[in-house]
Structure formats: structure tokens, C-alpha cells
Amino acid sequence: MPKVKPSSSLRLREYINEFGDDVFSTDGKILFCKICSVKVASEKKFTITQHLSRDKHVKGLEMNKAKNKTQAFFTDTLTNSFNKDLCFAMLSSNIPLAKLKQSNFRNFLEKYMNRQIPEESTIRKNYVSTCYDETLASIRAYVENKKIWVSIDETTDVEGRYVANVIVGTLENNCPGKTFLLNSAVLEKANFSTISKLFDNSMSILWPTGIKHDSVLLFLSDAAPYMVKAAKSISALYSKMIHVTCIAHGLHRIAEEIRNNFPEIDALISNVKKIFLKAPSRVLIFKSIAPEISMPPEPILTRWGTWLSAANYYCEHFHVIKAIVNELNKNDSTAIKKSQELLAK
């Protein structure tokens, strides 16, 4: 008679009988290592014996013997309270999960917790989604039956992608409400259409059983034209919502208008900045003449208010800056020559 291949569940039970139910468990479909808290390939016996010989498994056995107890792991959910708490603690503290790969960090945790620390991939695959769901559930519970405000801001990441963040907060009567980061999404483009869709999708995340349009009373954003247009589009569905643009954006526009009205001051700030940029010998001259004064600021136009701060700096230290710049050789740099001409006016 032909040899009958045993069923998968029977084969798994045979492995457990052979290696011990304190090491492996099964639900009839997969073989689960209680020591390492991972699923083990069970098609061939060789892969099981190979897993048993790994350093991680051997070290886990030694720890279990030292504690003289075995933790219970269940294959249906792969849930472990320590792993989940560790995942939540790291994410909420803004610690990248990749830090678990760092040997000194792992050794520290294992030494003082007397237990095996899970791999970063195990945490990421099995517990991040659980932490996300629980956090989202707590946000939903807190904003239930409360009026809220919504804020959306868009930026670009290091790869040049458009990333928009959605923040929501509760509107309380006698105290400031809580704020939550509800959603973060990568946009194809930053325009009124993508912002409008993001707003509505975020409200669907907050209220999955039905958006409470009348509970959204305030929308905060910058004064970019596409944000203003998006707010007008959104207000058709959220009739009680008021759109307020950020005052900082308005102040930045005022600062830009001031800069445009004083081109010579703008040129002076720009050229003096170039004089001392990557020039240690000139920095040394500056500090020898005016040791009590900080170096000239380096305003960045995309950072709001830095140009006005630089203008105030030159107003306070004009005569000192003029004396230092005049000490330099105008033939060394075009920026020095231009600065001396501007200061002479």
C-alpha cells in the first residue's frame, strides 16, 4: 500500500510530543515557539532542530530555567502583554523601534528585566497595529459627544514628498481641551482637492460609523490660497464650521513686505552673512574686536521672523559691525566689498 502522508495537525502534535509542550504549542495550523514568541516553519523537521540550536532560543531557555517558570503564549493572537507595553512605551516616547537592534540597549533591558527582549521585527509586525487601534479607540472615546476643532498643516519630508498632518482637539467650556494627532498622510500634490479629501477621510477615521458634521466647529490652517479654497469647499458639508487662518502666517507676510521695502538692508544682511560663513579667520577677527557680541545671525527666509530678528541685531550693533567689516580687505571677497559700500551710505 502507498505510504499515507500524515495530516498537518497530526504532524505538529508529534513535534510537540517529541520536543515538549513547554517549548512548542500549536493550534493545528502553525507551530509556535513559546520561548522565542515566534512562528516556526514546520514543513521539515530540520528547520525545527535548526531553530532549537539558535543562540536566541538557547538563551531564552536559560532565562526560563533561572526564573523557574514559563510564560503562556497563545498562537491565535500572538499577544504578549510585555511586548505590547514595550511597543507602546517606545512609540509614545518617540523612540524608534529600530533601537531594539542596538546590542547595548538590548543587553541593558535583558539584564535588569531578566527576560528575553523581542526582535524589532516581531514588535513591528505583531504589536504596532494593536497600539494604533487602542490609541485611536481612546481618542474616539474622549471626543465622543464633544465639539472639536481641526487643524491641517502640510510640509515636505527629506525625500521631497508632501506630508500633511491632521490634529484635532476638543472645545471645552472652562479649560483648554486635549489635542490629538489623528492622521498623517502622504499627498500626491498639495492643493485644495487633496486637502479636502484628507479632511473628510480624517473625520471618517474619527467617526467610522458616521461623520458628525455638526460637531466640527473650527478649522485652523495657514493662509495659503489652496487652504482657503479647501476650507470653502469643506464648509458646504460642515455648516457650523468656521475657518480661521494662523496669525503667525499673517505676521510672516508682514515681515516679508517689510523686507521687500528695504532692499539695501536686505542686501547688507545677506552679504555680512556671507562674509563670516565658513571663514574662521574672519570669525576670529570679529571675536577679537567685539568679544561680547554674538556673531551676526543667519536668517532663513522660510523660517518666519528670522529676517526681522537679524534686522534688529544690526540696528543694535550697527557701529560695531561697520568697524569690523571696514577692518577686512575688500579684495578678499565680493561680499566684503559690497558690505563696505552699503555701510558707507
Side-chain angles (χ1 to χ4, degrees), residues 298-338:
E298 300 178 3
I300 301 173
L301 297 183
T302 55
R303 294 184 181 177
W304 299 354
T306 55
W307 188 89
L308 282 181
S309 298
N312 288 332
Y313 171 90
Y314 284 94
C315 180
E316 294 176 7
H317 308 294
F318 178 80
H319 296 291
V320 177
I321 297 297
K322 182 177 180 180
I324 294 172
V325 172
N326 287 333
E327 284 290 323
L328 304 176
N329 188 347
K330 65 180 180 181
N331 296 321
D332 288 348
S333 168
T334 304
I336 296 175
K337 182 179 179 180
K338 183 65 176 177

Side-chain angles (χ1 to χ4, degrees), residues 127-151:
Y127 301 102
V128 169
S129 58
T130 302
C131 291
Y132 170 79
D133 292 338
E134 290 183 358
T135 301
L136 192 56
S138 66
I139 294 174
R140 289 169 178 162
Y142 188 84
V143 303
E144 185 70 20
N145 300 323
K146 292 183 179 180
K147 306 300 182 183
I148 68 168
W149 57 267
V150 182
S151 179

Side-chain angles (χ1 to χ4, degrees), residues 259 263-277 297 299 307 310 314 335 338-339 342:
R259 185 174 69 87
E264 291 185 347
I265 296 177
D266 186 32
L268 176 64
I269 293 174
S270 176
N271 282 283
V272 174
K273 171 184 173 181
K274 295 175 184 177
I275 290 175
F276 298 101
L277 188 64
W307 188 89
Y314 284 94
K338 183 65 176 177
S339 297
L342 290 168

Side-chain angles (χ1 to χ4, degrees), residues 53-282:
S53 63
R54 288 178 178 170
D55 291 340
K56 178 181 177 181
H57 184 86
V58 174
K59 193 173 182 180
L61 280 174
E62 292 175 353
M63 287 185 175
N64 277 12
K65 290 178 181 178
K67 292 187 294 182
N68 196 25
K69 62 180 181 179
T70 303
Q71 288 182 302
F73 292 90
F74 301 94
T75 59
D76 55 347
T77 60
L78 299 181
T79 299
N80 179 288
S81 59
F82 171 77
N83 291 356
K84 189 183 75 171
D85 291 344
L86 176 63
C87 178
F88 183 81
M90 294 186 69
L91 293 178
S92 60
S93 302
N94 203 25
I95 301 174
L97 295 179
K99 293 296 183 182
L100 290 173
K101 296 179 180 178
Q102 215 282 333
S103 58
N104 290 333
F105 185 52
R106 291 184 63 85
N107 292 337
F108 171 81
L109 293 177
E110 290 178 351
K111 177 180 179 181
Y112 290 100
M113 304 193 74
N114 196 27
R115 67 182 303 151
Q116 192 172 16
I117 303 303
E119 296 291 340
E120 176 263 347
S121 58
T122 301
I123 293 289
R124 188 179 302 280
K125 292 176 183 178
N126 298 327
Y127 301 102
V128 169
S129 58
T130 302
C131 291
Y132 170 79
D133 292 338
E134 290 183 358
T135 301
L136 192 56
S138 66
I139 294 174
R140 289 169 178 162
Y142 188 84
V143 303
E144 185 70 20
N145 300 323
K146 292 183 179 180
K147 306 300 182 183
I148 68 168
W149 57 267
V150 182
S151 179
I152 297 179
D153 195 18
E154 172 270 328
T155 186
T156 53
D157 63 8
V158 293
E159 296 182 359
R161 297 174 299 183
Y162 297 104
V163 180
N165 296 315
V166 182
I167 297 175
V168 299
T170 56
L171 295 169
E172 309 287 354
N173 290 328
N174 301 316
C175 61
K178 285 188 177 181
T179 59
F180 307 95
L181 174 61
L182 179 64
N183 192 13
S184 184
V186 177
L187 308 177
E188 294 182 5
K189 297 179 180 179
N191 55 38
F192 88 96
S193 177
T194 56
I195 295 297
S196 299
K197 290 179 181 178
L198 175 64
F199 187 102
D200 212 42
N201 291 339
S202 299
M203 295 303 99
S204 297
I205 293 174
L206 185 61
W207 293 301
T209 58
I211 298 175
K212 299 179 180 180
H213 296 86
D214 291 342
S215 293
V216 183
L217 302 185
L218 188 63
F219 176 39
L220 302 174
S221 73
D222 58 30
Y226 67 88
M227 281 290 188
V228 176
K229 188 175 181 180
K232 291 181 180 178
S233 174
I234 294 167
S235 61
L237 296 174
Y238 300 84
S239 57
K240 293 186 177 181
M241 186 187 75
I242 299 173
H243 180 220
V244 177
T245 56
C246 178
I247 191 172
H249 198 267
L251 293 175
H252 173 64
R253 288 188 168 185
I254 294 173
E256 284 294 285
E257 187 63 26
I258 294 173
R259 185 174 69 87
N260 292 333
N261 288 333
F262 296 92
E264 291 185 347
I265 296 177
D266 186 32
L268 176 64
I269 293 174
S270 176
N271 282 283
V272 174
K273 171 184 173 181
K274 295 175 184 177
I275 290 175
F276 298 101
L277 188 64
K278 297 181 181 179
S281 60
R282 296 172 192 161

